[in-house]
Amino acid sequence: MTSILRPSLVLFALLSALTGIVYPLAVTGVAQAAFPQQAAGSLIVRDGVTVGSALIGQNFSDPAHFWGRPSATAPMPNNAAASGGANQGPLNPALVEAVKARIEALRAADPGNTVPVPVDLVTTSASGLDPDISPAAAHYQAPRVARLRKLPLETVERLIEAHTEGPLWGLLGEQRVNVLALNLALDAQPAP
C-alpha cells in the first residue's frame, strides 16, 4: 500500500505546485510584461485618481452625460461582482415592460428627439457590464447632451467620432463607443 500511496502523494504535490503556483505566476508575469495596461484591469486614471475601467460599464444618470447600456446586475447596476444578464426572452412580459419604461425615460430626458431609440439603449447585455454603446446610440443622445451642456452639436458629434472604435483587428465585432471615455472627454471640454 505504501508503495502506491507515496508516489501518488508526491505526484499530487508536484502537480498542485505546478498548476496552482508555477503556471499562474508564469502567465501573470507574461501578461504584465506583454500587456501591462490590460493585466492591470484597463484602469482609467485622471489626475492621479482611478475613475473606472475601460472594460466595465458605469451607471451615468445625469442627462448631461451619455448613458450606457442598461445593466441587469444586482444589487446595483454594473456590479462587476454579480455579472449576468436578465435571462428574459423576447416574449417575456417583464422584458417588454422594462424596454417600454427605458424608452419612456429616454423620451422624457429629450422630449424633442423623435428618432427611433437604438436597441442597445433599452436592452441589457449578456454580462450586464458592457462599457460600450453603438455609434447610433451615442448620436441619438448627442442633441440632449449638447443642449444641456450648452455646446455646439458639432462639437459633441466630433467627440463621438473621435471615440468610435472599429471592429477588433478590423474583422471582429461592430463599431463601438466607450461611454466612460466619451464622458471624460466631454467633461474635459472648456465651459462655453
Side-chain angles (χ1 to χ4, degrees):
M1 183 71 165
T2 3
S3 63
I4 295 173
L5 189 57
R6 184 169 185 227
S8 298
L9 290 174
V10 168
L11 186 58
F12 173 74
L14 183 65
L15 288 174
S16 293
L18 183 65
T19 60
I21 297 171
V22 175
Y23 178 75
L25 286 175
V27 169
T28 301
V30 168
Q32 288 178 342
F35 309 102
Q37 171 70 14
Q38 292 89 339
S42 297
L43 299 178
I44 297 175
V45 179
R46 290 290 183 263
D47 301 323
V49 176
T50 301
V51 295
S53 170
L55 303 175
I56 298 175
Q58 291 192 9
N59 189 33
F60 289 97
S61 58
D62 176 11
H65 281 103
F66 286 90
W67 297 346
R69 289 192 76 168
S71 175
T73 62
M76 62 194 170
N78 298 300
N79 180 5
S83 174
N87 293 329
Q88 296 171 334
L91 300 178
N92 187 325
L95 176 63
V96 173
E97 290 305 314
V99 168
K100 283 181 185 177
R102 293 171 186 148
I103 290 172
E104 288 173 13
L106 286 163
R107 295 280 187 219
D110 193 8
N113 193 342
T114 58
V115 177
V117 177
V119 70
D120 56 323
L121 286 178
V122 295
T123 57
T124 63
S125 66
S127 69
L129 303 175
D130 197 344
D132 303 319
I133 56 175
S134 66
H139 288 291
Y140 173 85
Q141 298 178 76
R144 178 195 78 222
V145 171
R147 185 182 74 250
L148 293 172
R149 293 205 173 231
K150 297 177 178 45
L151 290 171
L153 181 59
E154 298 77 30
T155 300
V156 175
E157 294 284 351
R158 277 195 304 272
L159 283 173
I160 293 170
E161 294 305 319
H163 287 85
T164 299
E165 300 175 37
L168 185 64
W169 301 314
L171 299 170
L172 302 174
E174 300 288 329
Q175 285 188 323
R176 62 203 180 280
V177 179
N178 186 284
V179 177
L180 176 59
L182 180 58
N183 281 332
L184 289 172
L186 190 63
D187 289 343
Q189 290 296 302

